[in-house]
Amino acid sequence: EVQLVESGGGLVQPGGSLKLSCAASGFTFGDRWMSWVRQAPGKGLEWVAYIKSDGSATDYVDSVKGRFTISRDNAKMSLYLQMSSLRAEDTAVYYCARDLTALDLWGQGTLVTVSS
Amino acid sequence: DIVMTQTPISLSVTPGQPASISCKSSQSLLHTSGKTFLYWYLQKPGQSPQLLIYEASKRFSGVPDRFSGSGSGTDFTLKISRVEAEDVGVYYCMQGIHLRTFGQGTKVEIK
């Protein structure tokens, strides 16, 4: 089955760190760019970062630059988002998505709550 | 940064009636390749977003033909020819020509 499954969300204190994972199956993961998109409670969608198929290029929304790092392990068919210096405004459901510029496949999301 | 502006913010539609959502970008989404990097998504209540339209006017696999996308440059429209109950949710446009930016969303409900 073609799917993406996120994990790693949870409650973290402001200033803390968390690493999200996204496990892919059913397609040639190593051929595809991937993105992270987040959605704060009751708010709209915000693109966070993307990574090229071989991991050689990445980019981020300004609000997370220097704090978040997107990476991948094609052998494990997995995508990651290392988040540090977390702030209350980073509280959101984080989705991974297959990125063909069109985000054509999405996971179910994992909730990150930043609170003391 | 490219700003995406959707109107209206919300829409209440009688089943069987048409609906239309506008999306305007602060910069042209026409690439030198000839492709237009504008996409439409629907997020149904309690679900992850799903792709409806890519490259401004192409329906994604499995999307009913009552959904259509049009526009060019900076002005785009998503039309639903006859709204059905299953079409409720929040619709987002997104640009993909420089990084990715979503519009603020349009909530569609049934009267």
Side-chain angles (χ1 to χ4, degrees):
Chain A
E1 182 183 2
V2 178
Q3 64 176 356
L4 298 169
V5 179
E6 301 93 337
S7 60
L11 176 63
V12 59
Q13 291 189 339
S17 298
L18 203 60
K19 186 173 185 176
L20 306 182
S21 299
C22 170
S25 60
F27 66 97
T28 308
F29 180 75
D31 287 351
R32 302 301 186 195
W33 289 55
M34 296 293 295
S35 273
W36 286 99
V37 175
R38 67 184 178 182
Q39 185 169 38
K43 302 298 184 182
L45 301 173
E46 180 182 39
W47 174 80
V48 174
Y50 64 37
I51 185 167
K52 192 177 177 181
S53 51
D54 63 1
S56 63
T58 60
D59 217 328
Y60 303 85
V61 68
D62 285 348
S63 60
V64 309
K65 280 182 180 176
R67 301 188 300 122
F68 289 12
T69 301
I70 188 172
S71 63
R72 64 192 298 160
D73 184 332
N74 286 346
K76 294 183 178 179
M77 295 183 64
S78 292
L79 176 72
Y80 306 102
L81 187 67
Q82 176 69 52
M83 304 183 294
S84 60
S85 302
L86 283 162
R87 307 165 180 166
E89 55 265 35
D90 295 318
T91 294
V93 173
Y94 284 74
Y95 298 98
C96 63
R98 188 170 65 182
D99 192 328
L100 307 176
T101 309
L103 305 178
D104 73 329
L105 177 68
W106 296 66
Q108 85 289 351
T110 188
L111 175 63
V112 173
T113 303
V114 183
S115 175
S116 55
Chain B
D1 294 358
I2 299 177
V3 177
M4 305 297 289
T5 304
Q6 287 180 234
T7 54
I9 295 300
S10 64
L11 204 48
S12 184
V13 187
T14 300
Q17 293 301 302
S20 180
I21 300 170
S22 172
C23 176
K24 297 184 186 297
S25 60
S26 60
Q27 299 177 32
S28 175
L29 302 185
L30 176 62
H31 191 261
T32 53
S33 65
K35 292 183 179 180
T36 297
F37 287 86
L38 186 280
Y39 307 85
W40 289 98
Y41 301 87
L42 165 60
Q43 187 174 30
K44 296 182 178 182
Q47 296 186 17
S48 301
Q50 57 189 83
L51 177 65
L52 295 176
I53 302 289
Y54 65 100
E55 294 174 16
S57 60
K58 300 175 182 178
R59 263 189 310 276
F60 186 56
S61 175
V63 174
D65 60 8
R66 63 179 180 274
F67 290 94
S68 64
S70 63
S72 62
T74 61
D75 290 354
F76 303 92
T77 302
L78 176 71
K79 292 183 179 177
I80 311 173
S81 59
R82 297 172 304 280
V83 172
E84 297 187 5
E86 66 181 26
D87 301 335
V88 298
V90 182
Y91 290 78
Y92 296 92
C93 61
M94 185 198 84
Q95 67 81 16
I97 200 168
H98 175 66
L99 305 182
R100 314 279 182 260
T101 313
F102 290 93
Q104 70 270 51
T106 296
K107 185 175 184 178
V108 172
E109 61 178 20
I110 298 295
K111 280 185 182 175

